[in-house]
Amino acid sequence: MEERKPKILLAEDDTNLGMVLKNYLELNDYDVELCRDGILALAAFRREKFDICLLDIMMPNMDGFKLAEEIRDVDPDIPLFFLSAKTMKEDVIHGYKLGADDYISKPFDSELLLLKIKAILKRNQELNSKEEEQHEFRIGRYAFNARLRTLTRDGDSHTLSPKENELLRMLCEHKNDLLPRELALKKIWGSDTYFNGRSMDVYIAKLRKYLKEDPDIEIVNIHGNGFRLVVKD
């Protein structure tokens, strides 16, 4: 039986660049759907299952930033790269705040893009295959099932995203001890960079919100070093 090729959503309105990149990725065993604007790309994303999204920013009908927001509403954790000629710091930061895994400035090296795609897909595959590392935890008044990705309190259950789940699992494994920032970044995000660090801070804020109903639980920021999940007995 033929192995399924990873499927890429490529949203790019530049006809020449789009076709060149599509052909290059297909030669490297990826299945690529090329869309010329954000509306068509969003329709394709809702219609099919993709493994990664590559989004231009300046597109007609719906720009890449808005498209990313819509995609994140459907799937908060699908890998997402921006490919853009917009290189101002404000644009780059905005892209990462929307949940981008990478922001690649045009013109770019296609071989380097290919290596980044392979790395991010490998990371996700490893995260999804760690069944043996999944456990059940008790966190104060909460029950956390890392296998099911559920956080439950008083019968009310919330399903965590894969990154939320992995980060909370690592915090639980280091409960009342330091979870080194670098360790979490490399294991979940793939590398210890400034922008990945900003992304992790967003996820920490989400976990704090989920756990706020129990005053005996606190996620403490140890400046420059990492985080502690403090659970009072």
Side-chain angles (χ1 to χ4, degrees):
M1 185 175 180
E2 188 176 353
E3 185 177 351
R4 173 185 173 273
K5 295 180 180 180
K7 192 169 180 65
I8 297 175
L9 175 61
L10 173 60
E12 172 59 67
D13 71 324
D14 184 315
T15 302
N16 291 332
L17 175 59
M19 285 306 303
V20 167
L21 191 51
K22 173 180 167 68
N23 292 336
Y24 176 75
L25 293 171
E26 288 178 341
L27 284 172
N28 284 276
D29 293 325
Y30 291 94
D31 183 6
V32 182
E33 175 143 355
L34 173 61
C35 299
R36 306 294 186 188
D37 68 50
I39 295 290
L40 294 175
L42 181 58
F45 185 80
R46 288 174 170 165
R47 184 176 64 246
E48 301 180 50
K49 180 175 176 56
F50 292 91
D51 297 288
I52 188 170
C53 299
L54 309 180
L55 311 181
D56 184 24
I57 292 176
M58 295 182 287
M59 294 187 293
N61 299 322
M62 179 188 291
D63 67 34
F65 286 148
K66 178 60 177 175
L67 174 58
E69 290 179 7
E70 296 288 342
I71 285 174
R72 281 284 177 251
D73 284 342
V74 178
D75 186 342
D77 285 286
I78 186 168
L80 188 157
F81 288 3
F82 284 115
L83 311 176
S84 180
K86 294 170 72 70
T87 58
M88 291 183 63
K89 181 180 178 181
E90 292 79 5
D91 293 316
V92 178
I93 290 175
H94 184 49
Y96 279 105
K97 283 184 175 180
L98 290 173
D101 290 270
D102 210 332
Y103 191 109
I104 301 173
S105 300
K106 296 178 180 178
F108 53 82
D109 185 316
S110 296
E111 186 176 358
L112 180 59
L113 173 63
L114 181 65
L115 291 172
K116 290 189 173 189
I117 290 172
K118 287 181 177 178
I120 206 78
L121 292 180
K122 180 181 179 183
R123 180 206 71 186
N124 274 24
Q125 185 179 33
E126 289 174 348
L127 286 178
N128 292 333
S129 66
K130 290 177 179 176
E131 293 296 318
E132 70 281 358
E133 293 185 4
Q134 298 175 341
H135 303 282
E136 294 185 0
F137 299 91
R138 191 74 200 179
I139 316 171
R141 293 162 58 190
Y142 294 85
F144 170 43
N145 188 316
R147 188 180 301 278
L148 300 177
R149 290 197 280 120
T150 56
L151 185 63
T152 304
R153 182 184 66 85
D154 298 334
D156 293 328
S157 184
H158 175 78
T159 301
L160 301 174
S161 73
K163 282 181 182 174
E164 291 169 350
N165 188 72
E166 183 70 5
L167 184 54
L168 183 55
R169 186 186 65 79
M170 293 186 73
L171 285 166
C172 287
E173 290 177 344
H174 293 76
K175 187 172 74 171
N176 294 323
D177 200 353
L178 175 69
L179 170 60
R181 189 178 184 87
E182 181 181 5
L183 176 64
L185 283 170
K186 288 186 175 179
K187 195 164 186 179
I188 302 173
W189 276 264
S191 62
D192 179 9
T193 67
Y194 168 77
F195 291 111
N196 284 343
R198 291 286 294 270
S199 177
M200 184 168 72
D201 290 339
V202 171
Y203 279 84
I204 287 289
K206 289 181 179 180
L207 293 179
R208 286 182 175 132
K209 182 179 178 181
Y210 300 152
L211 297 167
K212 69 179 182 179
E213 298 302 323
D214 189 338
D216 291 331
I217 299 173
E218 185 178 8
I219 300 177
V220 180
N221 181 16
I222 310 300
H223 184 69
N225 291 298
F227 301 94
R228 287 180 64 215
L229 174 62
V230 178
V231 182
K232 298 177 184 176
D233 295 330

